[in-house]
Amino acid sequence: MTPILKPGAVPLMVLALGTPTAAIGDVLFEEGFSSGIGAFNATGRVSSGGGSVTLRGGYSPGSLVSPDIDVAGYSNLQLAVSRQTRRLDAGESGRIEVAINGGPFQTIEASNNVSGSAVFPLEPGAERLAIRFSTDASSYFESYAIADVRVEGDGGGASPQPEPDPEPEPEPPAPDPGPGNGQSEFWELSGNLGTHDPTIARENGIWYEFQTGPGIYRKISYDGGRFWEPLPSVFGSGLWWWRNYVPGQQGNDVWAPDVKAYNGRVWMYYAVSTFGSNQSVIGLASSPSLAADNWRDEGAVLSSTTADNFNALDPDLVIDANNEPWLTFGSFWSGIKLVKLNPSTMKPTGRHYSLANRSGGIEAPTIVHRNGYYYLFVSVGKCCEGVNSTYRILYGRSRNVTGPYVDRSGRDMMNGGGSLLDGGNDRWVGPGGQDIAGTSVIARHAYDASDNGNAKLLINNLVWTDDGWPSY
């Protein structure tokens, strides 16, 4: 889309960043960045000052996303913005994108050489929109700066400002999209979907996904969790201490992360291991928020060796009804375990509790609390063999976080119990490695029989029966 200068505006090359343009109609949204990033949400390398925000390149390039803006009933919608690129090379860009009515972001400008103010016409008939600024530069010293963002329109009876959320989420927001009521829905996903062992979390309307992969691979979705884009790995170069615990680690491969907000920080537990061995370690990292992307290495949490009868794998942070933290973990060997965490260090204190065991393999525990019950979800069977995988998801529940967990027939999960939640189908084979956001959304991987058995991300709404059992 070609930028349109307002009547009387001078050419772009003589306008300085931050020079305001005269309003042509009602101002529906305005941000001058006089107090940081204002109403926007930031990811990656983002800094503010002097009435502008700078998005830097390199590891974790900067991105800035507006809240939803109510534009219902207005015509001649336009986006006015001042922007400036610095040192961007050919093939790199500062990018402006707009999402209309909750749809995917569409590019309205991508350039490596712009400076000054411009006005962009927006799609007529929109009811709400969101704006995203980003850069794909390769160096920290390459940047894209934004100032004086304004959305304008003529007439209409809509509110001139985007309506605030009726119940703003705390900082960092708890990654729970809802209470788990309503209709089951298989989310239609697109973008970067290759996945093993996903964990998902939502913060300020933006979804984040972390998964097994080099340095903890991850993705982001700006459109409600439907379209997924890759992000740089959390620890792309690895951490020096991993091989002290697992000398045979392949590359920087890290397994089965879990991400949750607790007590004002976001905590990420993850595992380092090798196939078929319980020489494993669970590590911990934390960040002020998902958007801040400032991960601090918190070191090792617990480990296992070949002399142990358990496996320090597949960690999941559990917050009980008293707001106390626990960690559940385990894979094969003697099954699923639980240990209390010190809320100051978020590391174990006290004994290991046994929650579930099963011949043929059991792993990937996830525990959520809902209406007086703790629900334990596990993956059983054989993973990681494409369409020959026999993975499936089972569950049970308990009145106490430490168990006993029983299935719908009353069978204890320590004795092979577990009700089937997802056994796959003709296309999606071997579902497992699940994670639950709050109590209402479940993510897992499965092998796509229509695409050579490649492992992909699946997300569903999780609904609950009247007598308190989970279902799709």
Side-chain angles (χ1 to χ4, degrees):
M1 187 177 294
T2 304
I4 300 175
L5 289 176
K6 294 184 178 181
V10 296
L12 293 181
M13 73 263 317
V14 300
L15 284 171
L17 179 68
T19 302
T21 53
I24 63 170
D26 296 332
V27 176
L28 309 180
F29 175 84
E30 188 169 24
E31 182 57 69
F33 303 116
S34 59
S35 301
I37 65 172
F40 282 76
N41 294 311
T43 59
R45 287 176 161 171
V46 176
S47 60
S48 62
S52 67
V53 173
T54 299
L55 315 179
R56 295 193 177 277
Y59 171 74
S60 191
S63 178
L64 201 64
V65 181
S66 78
D68 277 356
I69 302 168
D70 183 2
V71 296
Y74 286 85
S75 60
N76 297 324
L77 294 170
Q78 298 190 5
L79 167 64
V81 60
S82 294
R83 71 274 192 262
Q84 184 174 46
T85 56
R86 297 184 179 95
R87 300 183 178 180
L88 297 191
D89 299 321
E92 300 174 334
S93 65
R95 189 178 299 270
I96 303 174
E97 299 167 291
V98 174
I100 302 296
N101 299 334
F105 280 95
Q106 303 291 331
T107 301
I108 62 174
E109 182 182 69
S111 175
N112 68 344
N113 186 25
V114 292
S115 177
S117 299
V119 179
F120 301 89
L122 301 176
E123 181 177 320
E127 296 184 352
R128 58 189 174 93
L129 58 87
I131 308 160
R132 180 168 70 191
F133 303 100
S134 63
T135 183
D136 55 5
S138 59
S139 166
Y140 177 85
F141 300 102
E142 299 169 323
S143 64
Y144 182 46
I146 301 295
D148 298 316
V149 178
R150 188 165 62 236
V151 175
E152 305 159 340
D154 291 335
S159 170
Q161 296 291 335
E163 295 182 3
D165 293 333
E167 296 181 2
E169 295 174 303
E171 288 294 339
D176 186 353
N181 298 320
Q183 297 297 313
S184 175
E185 178 192 357
F186 183 90
W187 293 19
E188 294 294 334
L189 307 183
S190 60
N192 186 315
L193 299 183
T195 299
H196 264 113
D197 310 316
T199 181
I200 58 173
R202 190 185 69 170
E203 184 181 277
N204 292 333
I206 299 174
W207 282 94
Y208 300 80
E209 187 262 7
F210 300 74
Q211 65 184 63
T212 291
I216 311 175
Y217 190 74
R218 57 186 175 157
K219 303 167 186 171
I220 192 168
S221 173
Y222 299 96
D223 66 347
R226 266 52 179 186
F227 180 79
W228 291 91
E229 306 173 33
L231 290 175
S233 295
V234 177
F235 297 120
S237 299
L239 296 176
W240 64 270
W241 57 264
W242 290 348
R243 284 187 175 80
N244 289 349
Y245 290 89
V246 186
Q249 183 192 17
Q250 299 297 311
N252 291 322
D253 200 25
V254 180
W255 296 1
D258 178 65
V259 173
K260 287 187 178 70
Y262 176 71
N263 275 1
R265 287 187 74 80
V266 175
W267 304 92
M268 177 172 59
Y269 293 85
Y270 60 89
V272 176
S273 189
T274 58
F275 281 104
S277 171
N278 67 332
Q279 178 103 25
S280 309
V281 63
I282 292 173
L284 175 63
S286 71
S287 176
S289 68
L290 291 168
D293 193 30
N294 183 20
W295 293 100
R296 182 176 71 198
D297 174 26
E298 306 282 357
V301 171
L302 61 88
S303 62
S304 58
T305 71
T306 54
D308 293 308
N309 72 342
F310 68 93
N311 198 354
L313 207 65
D314 293 353
D316 180 72
L317 175 60
V318 183
I319 308 302
D320 71 15
N322 298 315
N323 200 40
E324 295 292 330
W326 300 73
L327 188 73
T328 184
F329 62 94
S331 174
F332 286 74
W333 274 262
S334 59
I336 305 305
K337 308 295 181 183
L338 180 78
V339 64
K340 188 77 166 56
L341 298 177
N342 181 325
S344 298
T345 64
M346 297 301 283
K347 295 186 178 182
T349 175
R351 58 168 287 195
H352 290 182
Y353 295 85
S354 293
L355 305 185
N357 201 2
R358 190 181 185 91
S359 63
I362 184 169
E363 56 190 4
T366 300
I367 295 177
V368 299
H369 181 258
R370 182 181 187 274
N371 292 350
Y373 282 100
Y374 295 91
Y375 294 83
L376 170 62
F377 298 79
V378 296
S379 297
V380 302
K382 183 172 60 176
C383 173
C384 312
E385 296 193 12
V387 295
N388 295 317
S389 300
T390 60
Y391 236 22
R392 57 198 184 279
I393 301 171
L394 306 183
Y395 62 87
R397 72 183 183 186
S398 173
R399 287 290 187 182
N400 300 304
V401 69
T402 55
Y405 287 84
V406 300
D407 63 20
R408 298 183 75 159
S409 66
R411 189 176 182 188
D412 194 324
M413 293 183 73
M414 278 297 296
N415 298 318
S419 298
L420 180 66
L421 178 72
D422 190 348
N425 55 40
D426 289 344
R427 178 179 177 184
W428 298 109
V429 178
Q434 70 286 331
D435 180 58
I436 296 171
T439 59
S440 61
V441 174
I442 182 170
R444 71 277 192 209
H445 71 252
Y447 300 93
D448 188 352
S450 70
D451 186 20
N452 298 315
N454 287 317
K456 295 182 181 178
L457 175 66
L458 300 181
I459 303 178
N460 270 76
N461 288 358
L462 188 66
V463 297
W464 299 83
T465 63
D466 292 341
D467 56 350
W469 293 101
S471 177
Y472 286 165

